[in-house]
Amino acid sequence: GKGDCDSDFGVSLADRWRKTAKDCCTPSPNGGPPEAVENATKLTCHLVQQNRHAGAGDQLLLAENVMLNFKDLSQNGGAIPKKAFSDYVRTKHNQEFSKIKWSPGSMGGTCKPEAGQGWQRQNFPGWNVNWFSAFEAQSQPLQCDVWVDHPTLLVERDTFANFFHNSEDFFNTFLALAVLKWPVKGLQILLTDIFPNGPFMDMWTKVFHGGGGGGGDNKARSPDPLTAFELAKKFGSKRVCFKKLAVAILGAAAPMAVASWDSPCQGVALVRAYADFVVRALGLHTLNKGRKKTDVNVTYAARRASVEWPEKAFCDTQHSFFDCEQLNHLQMRKLGRMVRNDNAVLAGLKRLETQTFPNGANVRVREVDFSVLSFKEQIAVDATTDVLIGPHGAGLMHNIFMADRAQLIELFVDGSSANRHFHNLAFWAGHGYKGEPQSNPIAVDRVVGMATAAVTSLDLSELPW
């Protein structure tokens, strides 16, 4: 269908999503009007049809006074998640087995589901359908062992160690909070997939935690996020009732996941606001203070095979469902789309440091392997980068956190040019973009020429951030 930039990727998308709200499970009377019934359950469906998204729509479910029972995680010594992990290993990391198919009654409430108002299986894509199937209406008042008063967002991650696919969940969390008008302070995140923490946990423990990592009033800080393993330990088979709980938007439904066509939208509000939110929450928004406008940082993002598979690097038999014993077969992880003459490309780019540019740029070139940096260190590199160069891959997701004046150069090696993820992300972030198919090994002078043109085109009258 047709759309426009603001309604597809801007503030209007959040407004449009909010306006789809329907009471899809209405409180049962129980002898009086709904407002007179203490702790009456109400489910509000937010189903939006995004431009060029398949299926019946993308769902954000808000539940008020709802009961969850996490017994599927703990009963019989955690047999269900343990089997899921074994299946995940057996199928060579099929994402289906990172999610629990919750048993009926794992979610319950005192309301009557209304199919005509959107309570239909087809309206809950991906893992969301597991929670749809888990809900059972109760004729009696809620029976609760524990009450949770703070707003809670339930997330099941698309994966745990791929920055692009993880960013789908991060962005959708930001979008869900905008739709619901929930502040970060007081928010708790529940990660109900079986993944271990992974390399990007700072997003959950700092960025979406009490307003970020900037300190402040400890009394107002959010409760810590809980993984499925931690939920099993904390609650066992207790009936946990939530005043306000939202089931997050499916990661793959993220507006910024568009990859099959070139978006014309430049500098859209949601992407720019999200990037600024992350940088500020990590306390990195002043990194460029005092930097000369003519100082230009060119970052070459190397794409290299990791020493270990992330499953093996982040497994934790004692504190997660990822049992290290079952991962001993994993050796060094091989990656596609690696540049075969990295060193020659870097040496060529280093020539920019002695070159004279008409805009007065003084260039510094650095090589970065994001996979060996902490998450905060990665975003710090982004925030101080003016030109990012690298082969197509998840690492180019970093471009949205770059300085406003920045440019992205994408090197399409080994037949990756059909993928338009990072063209679109650069456009949405308001950055310049150049992408070209490359031989592999890469023609060094050609890449140096692209980098020279990018530096020359920078508007150095703008501050670096």
Side-chain angles (χ1 to χ4, degrees), residues 16-33:
R16 183 160 65 93
W17 214 310
R18 191 181 306 115
K19 289 175 182 176
T20 66
K22 289 185 177 181
D23 295 340
C24 52
C25 192
T26 54
S28 301
N30 281 342

Side-chain angles (χ1 to χ4, degrees), residues 157-204:
R157 293 168 289 178
D158 191 55
T159 184
F160 74 101
N162 178 293
F163 191 44
F164 177 77
H165 292 293
N166 277 112
S167 292
E168 295 173 339
D169 292 313
F170 303 149
F171 188 84
N172 280 354
T173 296
F174 181 77
L175 176 58
L177 297 182
V179 173
L180 298 171
K181 295 186 176 181
W182 282 5
V184 174
K185 279 189 177 179
L187 175 72
Q188 185 170 33
I189 302 289
L190 304 184
L191 302 173
T192 55
D193 54 74
I194 67 165
F195 288 127
N197 285 354
F200 309 121
M201 277 300 288
D202 278 357
M203 285 296 293
W204 306 117

